[in-house]
Amino acid sequence: MRGWGRGRCSVLNGLPEIIPTFNSFLLQFEGKYDYDLLVIGGGSGGLACSKEAAQLGRKVAVLDYVEPSPKGTRWGLGGTCVNVGCIPKKLMHQAALLGTAVKDATKYGWDIPSPVRHDWATMAQAIQNHVKSLNWGHRVQLQDKKVTYLNLKGSFVDNHTIQGVSKTGKKTVLTAENIVIATGGRPKYPPQVPGAELGISSDDIFWFKDSPGKTLVVGGSYVGLECAGFLTGIGLNTSLMVRSIPLRGFDQQMAQLVTDHMVSHGTRLLWKCVPRSVERETSGRLHVTWSDQQSGRVEGDTFDTVMWAVGRTAETKELSLERAGVPVNPKTGKIIVGAGEESSVPNIYAIGDVTEGRPELTPTAIRAGKLLARRLCGQVTELMDYDKVPTTVFTPLEYGCVGLSEEKAVSSFGQDNIEVYHAYYKPLEFSVTERGANQCYIKMLCLREGDQRILGLHFIGPNAGEVIQGFALAIKCEATYSQLVATVGIHPTCAEDVNKLNITKRSRLDPTVTGC
Amino acid sequence: MVFVEINVQSLDSFNRALEENKGKAIFVYFTGTKDAKGLSWCPDCVKAEPIVRAELSKLPEGSIFIYCQTGDKSCWKDPNNVFRKSFKLSSIPTLLKYGTPQKLVEEELLNSELVQMLFTED
């Protein structure tokens, strides 16, 4: 029971701003709550946490409620990743990759009548069916693992009490010893753009039954790049507007290569442009005007769909966190948590995208949720390790990375103390199809001294996620450059070019890989 | 009875049942064929059936429950079994809501709460 007792002391220890309701106050002394653990939010983190705690014998409920998007899109259990994120995104990326493969196939001897046509409705139906099967699978798992699922929108009454409101407005009050907030985030709309409400967000695009047509994607986030990438890939006229830099927070040399490839792949990039207005034409199409900050001119064009990818906000506004005394970062709205995912209220925790300073990634939320459940049940003391978390951006040419960006390595260790190995390489498969490989590039950052411990690895090319995952283990185990080059590659692969890295930026030698 | 039960043993009669009940909520229970004495060769089906039947009262108003016997042991074990192929079945018993991804198989059907969930949720 170690760990679960913690919450009980909170009021007795006296957090003056918390005034519990009489009900909860009484329960505290009796030690009787409806649940041992209440999780608000049935996304990746919340589901993982609730199932783990239930399997360890706790009485657990998870509240999940999807507020429809401003366009009215709604979905089932599983959160962003399953419904409007990773899953449909990767499948639409795959649809786009297949288009390229079909074109390449003719070079490999396949007789394919052209032009090949992509049917959005077929793709969307298949992907949406898969997502629905995942929704059902999550329901079955919760039931199987004896987690009570409540389709209610939760908000705090006090630090042990949650009010759940159903679709029809019916209210239910629930109490719990511990509460985990895992409500995630939702896409933002730009506040200063008249007509912004005519646009959609990533909450809608994956649930479109018909093609979005000619599309403007606004935002240089990975969401913006990925969506613009797959829309281009399935043959739609696609523009991507970026105000400042693409992929903020990622290595900027890599980000530039990724966007260079997108341009060569057919996406129209509107650099340094800021949207001014969106208006509906009589035809029903959307006329967008924007300022080009470089030329100072105002430009415009007409689109069938405008998609905002200008960032995400944490879903904390409607939780009434002030009633429980849980502080958020006023700038981001995200919940401030410690190394154990604890908020400043001892029995309230938060995991996933809703937390301040954590990566917005499904696997980190899942792992953080599971570990939190185990710690709460006194099974372990292990904390989530957020260091060296690998990730991949599924742009048409994928970008995978783990560890530090070059900028971060330089600022942390100093230019003179790091060695940057890099190489342009050509995937073998590209040679037959005469596909350009100008952006296929690998960069590895190492400490300069001794065996040269690897600080970060960046890879642009096909299947970047599959390539990076294995190296992430090595780097997590503190692998060095010496160990990497002592590892034999698999021929012919793109990943072997990581093992073959030998040109340093410092040498100024040509990093273009030649020969076999 | 708020629901109608239809017994089928062939794909033809299955398709006829679907055709005649277009637009209605259709639930299908795939199970091993019973012999002349009413005994099933499939032990998992024998275990699941009473649990599924006990929840039938929860079926939505006006829905259809197709009780589909997929064949005797050798017929079901044949990888070309028509039901196996037509409905991508991997095992029996399988309970599903037709036209949706909602599906329960084998030991999931021993959990009456799961069966109830399949019958009652959108």
Side-chain angles (χ1 to χ4, degrees):
Chain A
M1 280 302 284
R2 190 156 54 93
W4 281 90
R6 285 183 60 189
R8 277 203 197 134
C9 307
S10 65
V11 171
L12 300 177
N13 285 350
L15 276 169
E17 68 275 23
I18 302 168
I19 304 159
T21 61
F22 181 67
N23 184 36
S24 142
F25 192 71
L26 209 67
L27 287 170
Q28 209 134 26
F29 286 106
E30 290 174 359
K32 281 182 194 162
Y33 295 103
D34 300 334
Y35 295 96
D36 294 322
L37 176 66
L38 256 182
V39 178
I40 312 175
S44 310
L47 291 173
C49 183
S50 58
K51 286 188 290 189
E52 190 75 8
Q55 285 205 299
L56 293 168
R58 307 302 159 175
K59 194 179 176 200
V60 186
V62 59
L63 280 79
D64 189 63
Y65 186 89
V66 180
E67 195 67 51
S69 78
K71 290 284 164 193
T73 310
R74 55 179 79 229
W75 51 85
L77 179 64
T80 300
C81 176
V82 167
N83 295 285
V84 286
C86 337
I87 300 297
K89 173 270 297 289
K90 179 90 188 282
L91 294 173
M92 291 198 178
H93 170 59
Q94 174 65 7
L97 290 181
L98 286 171
T100 311
V102 167
K103 281 181 209 135
D104 285 359
T106 58
K107 294 270 168 56
Y108 280 97
W110 290 98
D111 182 15
I112 292 166
S114 73
V116 270
R117 209 182 62 82
H118 179 263
D119 182 52
W120 176 283
T122 306
M123 170 189 73
Q125 178 82 66
I127 294 175
Q128 289 160 17
N129 282 347
H130 178 66
V131 170
K132 285 177 187 166
S133 77
L134 295 177
N135 297 147
W136 173 251
H138 283 306
R139 292 284 289 107
V140 170
Q141 278 190 31
L142 287 183
Q143 186 67 255
D144 226 28
K145 299 197 162 134
K146 304 200 166 29
V147 176
T148 303
Y149 162 75
L150 301 162
N151 186 201
L152 301 173
K153 183 170 179 166
S155 62
F156 282 89
V157 175
D158 64 40
N159 65 326
H160 286 284
T161 313
I162 296 293
Q163 172 179 272
V165 182
S166 76
K167 220 184 315 186
T168 56
K170 195 172 155 261
K171 289 176 183 163
T172 312
V173 172
L174 307 147
T175 58
E177 182 173 358
N178 285 297
I179 296 170
V180 172
I181 304 163
T183 46
R186 297 290 290 268
K188 274 186 213 168
Y189 272 62
Q192 307 284 342
V193 181
E197 71 283 356
L198 297 169
I200 62 158
S201 75
S202 57
D203 277 359
D204 307 298
I205 189 90
F206 303 114
W207 293 92
F208 266 36
K209 288 193 163 53
D210 298 308
S211 170
K214 181 181 172 185
T215 302
L216 170 66
V217 178
V218 183
S221 63
Y222 80 86
V223 178
L225 267 59
E226 289 178 338
C227 289
F230 72 67
L231 292 173
T232 305
I234 58 170
L236 298 178
N237 180 328
T238 310
S239 304
L240 174 65
M241 188 180 292
V242 179
R243 183 188 56 189
S244 55
I245 59 165
L247 299 178
R248 188 180 298 281
F250 285 90
D251 187 289
Q252 283 300 297
Q253 184 195 3
M254 305 308 280
Q256 198 56 54
L257 286 167
V258 166
T259 49
D260 285 351
H261 177 266
M262 288 183 71
V263 172
S264 71
H265 180 249
T267 307
R268 172 195 185 198
L269 247 307
L270 300 164
W271 288 114
K272 311 275 179 219
C273 290
V274 183
R276 289 168 65 99
S277 67
V278 185
E279 282 169 54
R280 193 178 291 286
E281 296 178 346
T282 45
S283 65
R285 302 183 81 204
L286 300 173
H287 187 78
V288 183
T289 59
W290 60 87
S291 317
D292 183 327
Q293 294 180 309
Q294 274 170 325
S295 67
R297 279 203 296 271
V298 174
E299 313 266 2
D301 196 0
T302 300
F303 302 91
D304 297 303
T305 302
V306 174
M307 190 191 121
W308 305 111
V310 294
R312 299 176 64 83
T313 16
E315 281 282 275
T316 48
K317 280 199 196 73
E318 294 179 52
L319 285 172
S320 303
L321 288 171
E322 66 288 350
R323 293 196 201 153
V326 176
V328 296
N329 176 333
K331 263 193 186 158
T332 59
K334 291 190 171 190
I335 296 168
I336 298 159
V337 287
E341 328 301 348
E342 74 282 9
S343 76
S344 60
V345 181
N347 70 311
I348 300 176
Y349 302 79
I351 51 170
D353 292 2
V354 79
T355 51
E356 180 68 32
R358 302 290 197 218
E360 294 184 9
L361 296 170
T362 267
T364 50
I366 291 174
R367 184 150 177 75
K370 273 190 192 167
L371 282 172
L372 172 59
R374 286 181 209 157
R375 287 195 304 275
L376 287 172
C377 298
Q379 298 281 312
V380 294
T381 52
E382 184 188 348
L383 296 172
M384 173 65 192
D385 181 1
Y386 290 96
D387 188 34
K388 300 197 183 80
V389 172
T391 188
T392 290
V393 181
F394 291 98
T395 35
L397 199 57
E398 299 171 9
Y399 163 38
C401 60
V402 55
L404 302 184
S405 63
E406 187 172 347
E407 292 87 348
K408 189 83 182 111
V410 168
S411 69
S412 304
F413 295 94
Q415 190 86 62
D416 292 340
N417 298 315
I418 63 164
E419 199 71 275
V420 183
Y421 291 93
H422 66 157
Y424 284 95
Y425 69 101
K426 185 167 188 169
L428 174 66
E429 297 80 0
F430 284 25
S431 53
V432 170
T433 61
E434 295 158 31
R435 252 162 82 185
N438 293 339
Q439 290 85 24
C440 291
Y441 179 72
I442 305 167
K443 178 163 77 174
M444 190 169 69
L445 313 150
C446 303
L447 285 176
R448 199 174 169 189
E449 47 151 42
D451 285 337
Q452 304 191 316
R453 184 162 60 83
I454 303 167
L455 302 171
L457 176 62
H458 303 263
F459 177 98
I460 294 179
N463 308 303
E466 314 294 345
V467 171
I468 286 293
Q469 184 73 80
F471 286 110
L473 169 64
I475 292 170
K476 187 97 186 131
C477 296
E478 315 247 293
T480 63
Y481 177 73
S482 319
Q483 291 169 327
L484 181 86
V485 291
T487 307
V488 176
I490 301 170
H491 191 65
T493 62
C494 296
E496 72 175 323
D497 285 303
V498 176
N499 298 71
K500 293 197 290 195
L501 285 171
N502 67 94
I503 306 284
T504 64
K505 278 197 175 175
R506 186 170 277 110
S507 73
R508 294 170 190 250
L509 292 170
D510 180 11
T512 311
V513 172
T514 50
C516 186
Chain B
M1 275 301 194
V2 292
F3 68 96
V4 176
E5 178 166 344
I6 303 171
N7 275 276
V8 301
Q9 295 200 41
S10 72
L11 194 57
D12 279 350
S13 47
F14 192 107
N15 287 334
R16 208 175 317 124
L18 286 184
E19 190 60 36
E20 286 165 3
N21 293 288
K22 253 189 187 160
K24 294 181 189 165
I26 298 172
F27 297 84
V28 191
Y29 180 63
F30 294 98
T31 184
T33 299
K34 289 177 179 171
D35 64 17
K37 289 178 193 152
L39 299 173
S40 171
W41 61 269
C42 160
D44 290 346
C45 303
V46 173
K47 274 189 257 171
E49 183 156 338
I51 294 157
V52 173
R53 291 218 168 269
E55 300 301 321
L56 288 180
S57 61
K58 312 277 184 2
L59 278 168
E61 188 82 35
S63 59
I64 303 296
F65 180 73
I66 298 180
Y67 183 85
C68 178
Q69 298 187 61
T70 55
D72 60 22
K73 190 168 184 175
S74 64
C75 179
W76 168 252
K77 295 290 177 192
D78 178 357
N80 291 315
N81 177 289
V82 286
F83 294 107
R84 194 188 274 278
K85 287 186 84 176
S86 306
F87 301 96
K88 299 192 185 89
L89 300 180
S90 56
S91 51
I92 49 170
T94 289
L95 177 67
L96 56 81
K97 186 172 177 183
Y98 188 76
T100 77
Q102 304 185 9
K103 183 178 181 177
L104 296 171
V105 294
E106 296 182 312
E107 66 273 19
E108 288 171 347
L109 290 165
L110 304 181
N111 180 338
S112 52
E113 284 169 335
L114 281 178
V115 174
Q116 193 181 329
M117 195 169 96
L118 186 126
F119 284 163
T120 56
E121 288 193 12
D122 290 337

